[in-house]
Amino acid sequence: MNATELTPPAPARRSFREQMHLAREDAIVQAVNRLLAEKGFDAMTVDEVAAEVGIAKASLYRHFPSKEDLAAEAMVRALERAQAFLASLNPNATPLDCLKATVRWLLQVQLQGEMPSLPSANSTLRATLMTHHAYMDRLLAVSEQLGGWIQAAQADGSLDASLPPIVVLYTVFARACDPVPGFLRSTGDFSDEQIIELVLQTCFHGLNAH
Amino acid sequence: MNATELTPPAPARRSFREQMHLAREDAIVQAVNRLLAEKGFDAMTVDEVAAEVGIAKASLYRHFPSKEDLAAEAMVRALERAQAFLASLNPNATPLDCLKATVRWLLQVQLQGEMPSLPSANSTLRATLMTHHAYMDRLLAVSEQLGGWIQAAQADGSLDASLPPIVVLYTVFARACDPVPGFLRSTGDFSDEQIIELVLQTCFHGLNAH
DNA sequence: GTCTATAAATAGATAGAC
DNA sequence: GTCTATCTATTTATAGAC
């Protein structure tokens, strides 16, 4: 959400064809996002994506060169959603509150089945991601925003200052693929709101009595 | 580790053929265990398993009826290792210390690349597991052992008593597939021992200052 | 740009000789 | 029981007509 995006250059009206093209790509990425959240990269097939969008597989490959790029684009959108959320936070909130709000948001999106998750093992996928500039840029931006809050929260004494900031950052990120919310939901004993509060509690306060 | 296993019935000497059979099955399960830890169920192929064991794929299918059963057997062995570890703990240790030791052990095994992990999504795999009695029995036994410590630790005031025990149980289990240790290792900034202590810290004390 | 049709490779699983 | 060879289905990806 910067000035450039809010005030596009003069001849901004996109042609009808361009709009259709973007709308279709958006539908594709949404389908990929949902399938990545539901079954993960390895179990997701390109046929499923095409079927869900309602187009032929060959048409899909006109938009994206490979399954890996499809996943990368879904991650870019997810990071953009994250960036939009981070930007929407009250600038006067404490750094700790911003971090808690971020974790709460990650858990919400995950429970809604809209958090794409990629295997950290797959090497060809990692290669695609590492060279995908749009992805790397947004990942860096999100990391730096969170990193700033982490350091500020450690400085103001609200966050454990003995933890290396990178440990805190990864612990926050990991809530996006935490299996605990899903397990708790499958027991049927908790509402989504309760699950989120419980996981938030264990994340920031730990299991110990205090 | 019960008396039945320690004192087998009289004609206990297994035939040479039986021993070879068991040794081969053990080699198979070990290979599956390693591959499940390395790349997960979906990315693991039966061809890879056969190649790693050094036998033909058809021979492998003489031992196990399907890829799902292969994974289930690997999980059984992993649970047996867990049971053996739990049984080895000092009976005089506090419940909280037992839980911490368990988490430490889970992280160690995971960092050694010996913790098989299965997708919670795959439905055919879940069906196989749910009807696999050896698996379900051991899972229940481990859960009950940990559940006992959790309730005791909450009773003696060392564990947060406001958390439902199931939340604590799942939070402990989840350390077996926590991506944070792997991420921290990939930075190259920490030894495995440091990683384990840091994750233990965040697990039991949380991110907050205290 | 979208489609149908099809490659090319790989997956899980089995047949049948030894 | 192990092997080679093969089956059948599925997967990623492309060719080529419209």
Side-chain angles (χ1 to χ4, degrees), chain A residues 27-53 57 60-61 64 66-75 113 115-119 122 125, chain B residues 41-43 119 121-122:
Chain A
I28 294 172
V29 174
Q30 262 188 267
V32 171
N33 191 82
R34 208 191 61 71
L35 286 167
L36 282 181
E38 182 187 322
K39 42 210 303 184
F41 181 77
D42 292 315
M44 177 188 81
T45 71
V46 180
D47 290 85
E48 284 172 330
V49 177
E52 179 147 330
V53 179
K57 185 163 53 168
L60 211 162
Y61 274 98
F64 300 96
S66 73
K67 184 184 174 184
E68 280 78 15
D69 284 87
L70 222 44
E73 200 52 37
M75 291 305 293
M115 181 63 75
S117 69
L118 303 182
N122 190 318
L125 178 57
Chain B
F41 181 78
D42 292 315
N122 190 319

Side-chain angles (χ1 to χ4, degrees), chain A residues 5-174:
Chain A
E5 287 171 12
L6 291 175
T7 59
R13 259 210 326 278
R14 297 208 175 324
S15 73
F16 181 71
R17 295 175 65 96
E18 271 178 311
Q19 285 196 31
M20 291 307 296
H21 185 84
L22 287 177
R24 174 137 298 180
E25 291 208 338
D26 198 68
I28 294 172
V29 174
Q30 262 188 267
V32 171
N33 191 82
R34 208 191 61 71
L35 286 167
L36 282 181
E38 182 187 322
K39 42 210 303 184
F41 181 77
D42 292 315
M44 177 188 81
T45 71
V46 180
D47 290 85
E48 284 172 330
V49 177
E52 179 147 330
V53 179
I55 62 175
K57 185 163 53 168
S59 307
L60 211 162
Y61 274 98
R62 294 277 175 183
H63 291 269
F64 300 96
S66 73
K67 184 184 174 184
E68 280 78 15
D69 284 87
L70 222 44
E73 200 52 37
M75 291 305 293
V76 167
R77 301 289 177 104
L79 286 170
E80 284 173 347
R81 285 180 67 183
Q83 282 183 293
F85 170 78
L86 298 181
S88 79
L89 290 175
N90 181 349
N92 298 322
T94 68
L96 182 63
D97 282 339
C98 290
L99 290 171
K100 283 188 179 176
T102 302
V103 169
R104 187 178 273 116
W105 179 81
L106 285 173
L107 295 170
Q108 274 172 353
V109 175
Q110 202 222 3
L111 277 169
Q112 285 162 5
E114 294 171 2
M115 181 63 75
S117 69
L118 303 182
S120 46
N122 190 318
S123 60
T124 101
L125 178 57
R126 282 197 81 78
T128 299
L129 287 175
M130 299 274 281
T131 61
H132 197 114
H133 289 175
Y135 169 78
M136 292 302 289
D137 286 353
R138 284 159 182 75
L139 182 60
L140 185 66
V142 169
S143 298
E144 285 185 343
Q145 172 104 54
L146 294 177
W149 287 332
I150 290 168
Q151 291 196 312
Q154 290 183 316
D156 74 21
S158 58
L159 211 64
D160 186 344
S162 74
L163 292 172
I166 189 80
V167 173
V168 180
L169 179 66
Y170 286 162
T171 301
V172 169
F173 272 146

Side-chain angles (χ1 to χ4, degrees), chain B residues 142-155:
Chain B
V142 169
S143 298
E144 286 185 342
Q145 172 105 53
L146 294 178
W149 288 332
I150 289 168
Q151 291 196 312
Q154 289 184 318

